[in-house]
Amino acid sequence: MLPDLSPFMALRRHLAIAHHVPGRIRVKLAAAALARLPDVDPEPFIALTKRIQGVNAIRVNVAALSVVIEYDVRQIAAPVWERLLAGDTAEIEAILRDHIGRTA
């Protein structure tokens, strides 16, 4: 069963991939978003990301407004991350159904 995606969907338009090599991606929150979202809570993004099979580690850098995600490239293809940030709701739901553990 998929979690409520609304917090992620609201936040993701303010996220961008700052750096990506297969197996490691840095996602950054736009500084301008802080003016619009003064109480930005990264927890929905992190909680959702932790449920994705193949995610090995997540590090949050509050000062840099970024999250580094280390993942297994055998389980998650590199383009999946772009689609999670840019795809429409149906595409994101399909990706998550394929990548979130059945026991989650």
Side-chain angles (χ1 to χ4, degrees), residues 13-65:
R13 69 176 169 261
H14 303 289
L15 299 173
I17 296 171
H19 181 73
H20 190 191
V21 294
R24 186 177 181 279
I25 184 169
R26 180 182 304 274
V27 178
K28 196 154 175 70
L29 177 69
L34 292 178
R36 284 182 245 133
L37 305 167
D39 298 321
V40 172
D41 181 8
E43 189 51 39
F45 176 79
I46 294 180
L48 180 63
T49 305
K50 284 180 178 178
R51 291 184 60 187
I52 297 173
Q53 291 179 333
V55 169
N56 299 326
I58 299 173
R59 291 187 312 279
V60 177
N61 184 332
V62 176
L65 300 175

Side-chain angles (χ1 to χ4, degrees), residues 22-24 53-57 70-78 81:
R24 186 177 181 279
Q53 291 179 333
V55 169
N56 299 326
E70 293 179 19
Y71 66 94
D72 183 343
V73 296
R74 294 169 297 182
Q75 293 185 11
I76 307 169
W81 298 104

